[in-house]
Structure formats: C-alpha cells, structure tokens
Amino acid sequence: MAVTLADVAARARVSAATVSRVLSGNYPVAAGTRGRVLRAVEELAYVVNGPASALAAASSDLVGILVNDIADPFFGIIAGAVQTELSGAAQGGEKLAVVCNTGGSPERELTYLTLLQRQRAAAVVLTGSASEDAAHARALTAALARLADAGTRVVLCGRPTGVAAAAEATGAVSGESQGAEETREPGKTRGAGNTLGADEVPPRGPLTTLAFDNRGGARLLTAHLIGLGHRRIGCVAGPTGRTTTGERLAGHHAALAAYGIEDTPRRTVHGAYDRASGYDAAAELLRREAGLTAIVAANDTAALGVCAAVRDRGLRIPEDVSVAGFDDLPFSVDATPALTTVRLPLQEAGARAGRLAMGREEQPPGGLATLRAELIVRASTSVPCP
C-alpha cells in the first residue's frame, strides 16, 4: 500500500497541513518540526507527487538515464543512443531524456531514482556497474520496485550481477530460457546470467536487463595474451566494490586458472577507470615485478595511462610489454600502437534500451539478454621478446 501524507504526519506527530508546508518549502516551519517531518519522509520512503498532469500514473514525457560519468565515452555512447531512440519516435511519442550523473555515488543514484519517481518518469535506464554493498543493493532493489510497481519501465543497461543465483531464485533467469546472446570462444559455448548488483532481487513490474558479458570478454582477452606466450601478466583492475570490476577480474582469473598460471595478488592493482589511475597502477606493477611482459587494463582509458607508464620507463609496446584495454572506445584504434581490446556493443545496447524504455521492443525471454563481447586484436599485443 502506498504511503500517504497522513502516514507521514502520524509518524512525525504533526498535522497533514504541516507536512505539506514542509514539503512545499513555501511556508516557515520550526527547524525541529521540519527535521521530524523529513525524517518521517525518509523512514517511510514517501514520494511526493510531481506535476499535477502526471498524478494519475507514470505517464509523463520524461525518461531518466543514470550514468556514472557522462564525460566517459562508455556512458556517453550509451546515453546518446538511448536519447536518439527517444527523439526518433513517431510524432507525438517523443520523450524528454534527463541524464543524471551519479559520479559513481550509490547515495546519489538512490536520490535520482526518488526524484524520477516524484516526477512520474515514464522510464528509467540505469547504465554501468553497481555497488556491491549489500545495504545499497537492498535499497536499490526497493527503489526499483517502487518505480516498476508504479508503471515506470525500468531498463538496466550494462549492469552485471554478483549473484546469478538470486535472479534464478526469483525466476528472472531460467536456465536456457534466458535468451542471452552469449560470448563464444572458438569451438566453445558459455552462458552468463546477469541482473542487478550483488544481493539484489529483481523487483516486480516491467524491468529488463541488457547485460554485457564482462567476465567472458575478460577471459578471452587474457587467453589471447597467454596464447601469444605471456605468463607474467599484470592486471590494472577497476575500483573495488563495483560489479563490473568483479566480473572482469573473475574472467581474468578464470583464464589464468584454465592454463595453470599462478594468480599472485602482487600482479593486480585496483584504480579508477581513468588515465591517471592506469598510469599509477602500471607504475606500481612494474615496480613490484619488472619482468612483466603484458598488462591488461580495466578499460581503454586506463590502458592509455598504462601505455604512458610503460614508455616512461624506457620500454617498448608491444616488444617489451604488451598492453590491452576493454570496451573498444572510439579512440582505441587511433592509439599508438592501436589498442588490443574487447569490444562491447555500446551503441546497440543503448539503442535497444531506448526502444525498451519506449515500449517499442518486446522484452527478451525472462527479461534478460546478455550481449556478446568480442576480442579485437590490434598492434599493442604480440609475442613476448625472448
């Protein structure tokens, strides 16, 4: 049952009129009273109605797109593709895209979801990785459930899972009925179940997940390096506590294990998905073990920093150290040398998310599709020098 203004008033021990005054902000209210009302609003997860024209249902012309960093090409490509689909609808069916930049903050992510619910958003598209914090996962699940139950379409785009079993337990993923578009190695087939972040359970309502096979892509990348003859491989991993980091690192570890290569902690350094972090992490890896012959980076941007660190130490790429990235961002092919990477279908995923948000594409079986990752081999990797 939806929480009402009267429920908030009862919790705060004030009148409904006082609650209304606090929420409107147009009337003076004592600080102590205001504090009690706002605490009650938060404790009860009360959502203030948005524009009067949208009170009846989630039928506004607004679609929220949540990104970690709009300056990152990864998110810019996805958000741009979503918006193109929203503006390309038939006359009168266009929607207004509102891009919400979370900066990777779990708290800001929840705040934006609440604000979008207040505005009765027609749809919400969440992109990129999620926090692995269990408390945040529960709060996020509840926020998405409220949106979905109100009729808002929710699309998770590129958001992997930490616990596939949680999805299976709720029926979101059912064996071969996923309809996933899997990553394939030559002669092999593997599946991947991806839904919300760690410990999350898919909420009720119209929710769809378009997941990237980060684990499979990372395994392909490391296996490529091993196939070239590399055995001492460093890893510049993404930030700790993020689902994408966990997925890609798991794929890297799986490839090492498959070839019987020791996975030593000193060969992994975590950092942000940016050039500076890539530089610092690579410098640390080379300090720890000067004999590294290859380094895989969390993404292409970090890989640029890795390349700079390698060169600053008088080493050649790929003759002395092979370097590989992830995502296949537009600049990767223009790097010097051109960057070996894993291509994710960012444009396709964003466009598909936009169509799902508009209700112009049917949900995949089970509400889940895993989009294939593709190994792109370029000049930054080669056999190690003897």
Side-chain angles (χ1 to χ4, degrees), residues 275-291:
R275 185 186 183 279
S277 294
Y279 184 99
D280 292 342
E284 175 61 19
L285 285 170
L286 293 169
R287 184 194 67 78
R288 294 178 184 179
E289 188 173 347

Side-chain angles (χ1 to χ4, degrees), residues 59-63 83 86-87 89 92-97 122 357-358:
S59 57
S60 75
D61 290 330
L62 186 151
V63 172
Q83 187 165 8
L86 302 185
S87 60
E94 302 92 340
K95 300 294 182 184
L96 173 65
M358 294 288 286

Side-chain angles (χ1 to χ4, degrees), residues 29-386:
V29 178
T33 301
R34 177 181 175 80
R36 290 205 313 276
V37 170
L38 294 178
R39 280 195 300 274
V41 168
E42 182 176 358
E43 290 168 359
L44 296 174
Y46 175 68
V47 176
V48 183
N49 284 337
S53 61
L55 286 178
S59 57
S60 75
D61 290 330
L62 186 151
V63 172
I65 307 171
L66 274 66
V67 301
N68 287 351
D69 181 6
I70 192 59
D72 185 332
F74 177 98
F75 295 103
I77 292 169
I78 294 176
V82 172
Q83 187 165 8
T84 296
E85 292 294 328
L86 302 185
S87 60
Q91 184 67 30
E94 302 92 340
K95 300 294 182 184
L96 173 65
V98 176
V99 178
C100 306
N101 196 77
T102 69
S105 166
E107 294 77 16
R108 187 173 294 277
E109 181 175 69
L110 294 173
T111 297
Y112 280 134
L113 290 175
T114 298
L115 292 172
L116 288 167
Q117 186 182 356
R118 290 177 182 174
Q119 295 300 318
R120 307 290 177 177
V124 172
V125 179
L126 284 85
T127 67
S129 66
S131 169
E132 292 181 332
D133 178 73
H136 174 70
R138 289 191 293 271
L140 179 60
T141 297
L144 295 182
R146 289 193 294 271
L147 282 162
D149 286 347
T152 297
R153 292 190 181 94
V154 178
V155 182
L156 308 183
C157 184
R159 180 159 292 209
T161 183
V163 186
E168 291 170 356
T170 60
V173 179
S174 178
E176 296 301 320
S177 67
Q178 295 179 42
E181 299 157 35
E182 303 168 359
T183 299
R184 291 178 173 82
E185 298 182 48
K188 297 182 180 180
T189 302
R190 62 177 298 276
N194 293 279
T195 51
L196 305 180
D199 293 340
E200 294 178 47
V201 176
R204 296 164 288 169
L207 184 147
T208 307
T209 299
L210 302 177
F212 296 130
D213 188 7
N214 286 300
R215 180 186 176 113
R219 179 168 181 162
L220 284 175
L221 188 60
T222 300
H224 161 69
L225 292 170
I226 295 171
L228 290 173
H230 295 278
R231 295 297 181 270
R232 298 188 300 277
I233 304 172
C235 179
V236 175
T240 58
R242 305 295 298 185
T243 52
T244 296
T245 299
E247 292 269 329
R248 294 182 182 181
L249 198 53
H252 172 66
H253 291 163
L256 295 176
Y259 287 89
I261 298 174
E262 181 184 7
D263 178 22
T264 60
R266 74 175 184 276
R267 289 179 180 168
T268 298
V269 175
H270 289 272
Y273 292 113
D274 57 40
R275 185 186 183 279
S277 294
Y279 184 99
D280 292 342
E284 175 61 19
L285 285 170
L286 293 169
R287 184 194 67 78
R288 294 178 184 179
E289 188 173 347
L292 291 178
T293 63
I295 299 176
V296 292
N299 68 352
D300 293 338
T301 305
L304 294 183
V306 172
C307 290
V310 169
R311 291 195 189 94
D312 284 353
R313 278 145 190 80
L315 300 172
R316 299 167 299 167
I317 304 169
E319 293 86 353
D320 299 317
V321 180
S322 288
V323 178
F326 208 105
D327 295 335
D328 194 30
L329 298 177
F331 59 76
S332 301
V333 70
D334 295 318
T336 304
L339 197 61
T340 291
T341 186
V342 171
R343 176 177 294 163
L344 295 181
L346 305 179
Q347 183 79 26
E348 172 193 340
R352 192 169 177 183
R355 292 192 297 272
L356 286 162
M358 294 288 286
R360 293 194 285 111
E361 179 173 321
E362 290 186 8
Q363 282 191 318
L368 166 68
T370 303
L371 306 183
R372 190 175 56 144
E374 179 185 359
L375 175 65
I376 304 297
V377 179
R378 298 193 179 108
S380 67
T381 56
S382 69
V383 297
C385 286

